[in-house]
mmCIF file of all heavy atoms in Angstrom:
data_model
loop_
_atom_site.group_PDB
_atom_site.id
_atom_site.type_symbol
_atom_site.label_atom_id
_atom_site.label_comp_id
_atom_site.label_asym_id
_atom_site.label_seq_id
_atom_site.Cartn_x
_atom_site.Cartn_y
_atom_site.Cartn_z
ATOM 1 N N MET P 30 66.370 120.479 94.353
ATOM 2 C CA MET P 30 67.428 121.539 94.262
ATOM 3 C C MET P 30 68.494 121.319 95.410
ATOM 4 O O MET P 30 69.675 121.277 95.090
ATOM 5 C CB MET P 30 66.829 122.844 94.306
ATOM 6 C CG MET P 30 67.756 123.995 94.075
ATOM 7 S SD MET P 30 66.905 125.585 94.302
ATOM 8 C CE MET P 30 67.680 126.581 93.135
ATOM 9 N N MET P 36 75.055 117.450 96.166
ATOM 10 C CA MET P 36 75.797 116.524 95.269
ATOM 11 C C MET P 36 76.816 117.287 94.535
ATOM 12 O O MET P 36 77.988 116.760 94.383
ATOM 13 C CB MET P 36 74.676 115.786 94.391
ATOM 14 C CG MET P 36 75.259 114.884 93.466
ATOM 15 S SD MET P 36 75.951 113.479 94.408
ATOM 16 C CE MET P 36 74.394 112.613 94.599
ATOM 17 N N SER P 43 80.904 117.606 87.944
ATOM 18 C CA SER P 43 79.517 117.477 87.808
ATOM 19 C C SER P 43 79.011 118.424 86.717
ATOM 20 O O SER P 43 79.477 119.411 86.461
ATOM 21 C CB SER P 43 78.748 117.836 89.099
ATOM 22 O OG SER P 43 79.079 118.974 89.602
ATOM 23 N N LEU P 50 65.349 121.520 75.454
ATOM 24 C CA LEU P 50 64.773 120.828 74.334
ATOM 25 C C LEU P 50 63.601 119.882 74.846
ATOM 26 O O LEU P 50 62.611 119.789 74.243
ATOM 27 C CB LEU P 50 65.897 119.918 73.740
ATOM 28 C CG LEU P 50 67.019 120.707 72.990
ATOM 29 C CD1 LEU P 50 68.138 119.711 72.495
ATOM 30 C CD2 LEU P 50 66.506 121.484 71.803
ATOM 31 N N ASP P 81 82.137 127.658 88.983
ATOM 32 C CA ASP P 81 83.548 127.382 88.889
ATOM 33 C C ASP P 81 83.940 125.861 89.265
ATOM 34 O O ASP P 81 84.929 125.388 88.964
ATOM 35 C CB ASP P 81 84.402 128.302 89.835
ATOM 36 C CG ASP P 81 84.272 129.698 89.355
ATOM 37 O OD1 ASP P 81 84.226 129.992 88.138
ATOM 38 O OD2 ASP P 81 84.284 130.620 90.270
ATOM 39 N N ALA P 125 49.969 117.133 74.313
ATOM 40 C CA ALA P 125 49.832 116.592 72.953
ATOM 41 C C ALA P 125 50.778 115.313 72.763
ATOM 42 O O ALA P 125 52.005 115.441 73.108
ATOM 43 C CB ALA P 125 50.174 117.627 71.832
ATOM 44 N N PHE P 169 73.190 99.537 72.319
ATOM 45 C CA PHE P 169 74.143 100.128 71.433
ATOM 46 C C PHE P 169 75.518 99.358 71.586
ATOM 47 O O PHE P 169 76.152 99.026 70.622
ATOM 48 C CB PHE P 169 74.381 101.653 71.767
ATOM 49 C CG PHE P 169 75.232 102.348 70.772
ATOM 50 C CD1 PHE P 169 74.653 103.082 69.800
ATOM 51 C CD2 PHE P 169 76.601 102.302 70.826
ATOM 52 C CE1 PHE P 169 75.453 103.742 68.842
ATOM 53 C CE2 PHE P 169 77.374 102.973 69.916
ATOM 54 C CZ PHE P 169 76.812 103.691 69.020
ATOM 55 N N TYR P 173 77.482 97.616 68.610
ATOM 56 C CA TYR P 173 78.662 98.293 68.055
ATOM 57 C C TYR P 173 79.988 98.206 68.783
ATOM 58 O O TYR P 173 81.042 98.828 68.463
ATOM 59 C CB TYR P 173 78.377 99.870 67.869
ATOM 60 C CG TYR P 173 77.314 100.129 66.732
ATOM 61 C CD1 TYR P 173 75.981 100.594 67.224
ATOM 62 C CD2 TYR P 173 77.511 99.883 65.466
ATOM 63 C CE1 TYR P 173 75.032 100.914 66.229
ATOM 64 C CE2 TYR P 173 76.529 100.229 64.538
ATOM 65 C CZ TYR P 173 75.345 100.650 64.915
ATOM 66 O OH TYR P 173 74.453 100.971 63.909
ATOM 67 N N THR P 176 80.987 101.332 73.859
ATOM 68 C CA THR P 176 81.165 102.733 73.485
ATOM 69 C C THR P 176 80.685 103.658 74.680
ATOM 70 O O THR P 176 81.361 104.665 74.912
ATOM 71 C CB THR P 176 80.267 103.092 72.286
ATOM 72 O OG1 THR P 176 80.516 102.095 71.211
ATOM 73 C CG2 THR P 176 80.486 104.489 71.785
ATOM 74 N N THR P 225 43.793 124.904 107.593
ATOM 75 C CA THR P 225 43.745 124.268 108.912
ATOM 76 C C THR P 225 42.358 123.903 109.236
ATOM 77 O O THR P 225 41.362 124.179 108.533
ATOM 78 C CB THR P 225 44.212 125.371 109.996
ATOM 79 O OG1 THR P 225 43.418 126.486 109.868
ATOM 80 C CG2 THR P 225 45.674 125.656 109.756
ATOM 81 N N PRO P 236 51.258 117.367 115.577
ATOM 82 C CA PRO P 236 52.201 117.716 114.568
ATOM 83 C C PRO P 236 52.262 116.862 113.349
ATOM 84 O O PRO P 236 52.505 117.327 112.287
ATOM 85 C CB PRO P 236 53.545 117.808 115.238
ATOM 86 C CG PRO P 236 53.358 117.150 116.559
ATOM 87 C CD PRO P 236 51.952 117.084 116.987
ATOM 88 N N PHE P 282 65.905 131.489 103.717
ATOM 89 C CA PHE P 282 66.028 131.880 102.288
ATOM 90 C C PHE P 282 66.317 133.374 102.031
ATOM 91 O O PHE P 282 66.471 133.849 100.875
ATOM 92 C CB PHE P 282 64.712 131.549 101.478
ATOM 93 C CG PHE P 282 64.433 130.049 101.457
ATOM 94 C CD1 PHE P 282 63.289 129.498 101.866
ATOM 95 C CD2 PHE P 282 65.486 129.228 100.926
ATOM 96 C CE1 PHE P 282 63.069 128.121 101.840
ATOM 97 C CE2 PHE P 282 65.201 127.837 100.860
ATOM 98 C CZ PHE P 282 63.965 127.274 101.288
ATOM 99 N N GLY P 283 66.371 134.163 103.158
ATOM 100 C CA GLY P 283 66.558 135.628 103.037
ATOM 101 C C GLY P 283 67.779 135.895 102.147
ATOM 102 O O GLY P 283 67.699 136.717 101.208
ATOM 103 N N ALA P 290 68.175 138.707 93.652
ATOM 104 C CA ALA P 290 67.841 140.084 93.210
ATOM 105 C C ALA P 290 69.134 140.731 92.612
ATOM 106 O O ALA P 290 68.991 141.421 91.586
ATOM 107 C CB ALA P 290 67.203 140.832 94.268
ATOM 108 N N GLY P 315 81.761 116.403 72.326
ATOM 109 C CA GLY P 315 82.400 116.177 70.954
ATOM 110 C C GLY P 315 83.277 115.008 70.971
ATOM 111 O O GLY P 315 83.344 114.253 70.031
ATOM 112 N N THR P 317 82.920 112.372 72.817
ATOM 113 C CA THR P 317 81.957 111.094 72.783
ATOM 114 C C THR P 317 81.484 110.915 71.368
ATOM 115 O O THR P 317 81.408 109.771 70.877
ATOM 116 C CB THR P 317 80.817 111.289 73.722
ATOM 117 O OG1 THR P 317 81.357 111.686 75.008
ATOM 118 C CG2 THR P 317 80.021 109.999 73.884
#
Side-chain angles (χ1 to χ4, degrees):
M30 188 185 215
M36 180 67 82
S43 56
L50 293 175
D81 293 327
F169 187 100
Y173 293 111
T176 308
T225 52
F282 296 127
T317 311

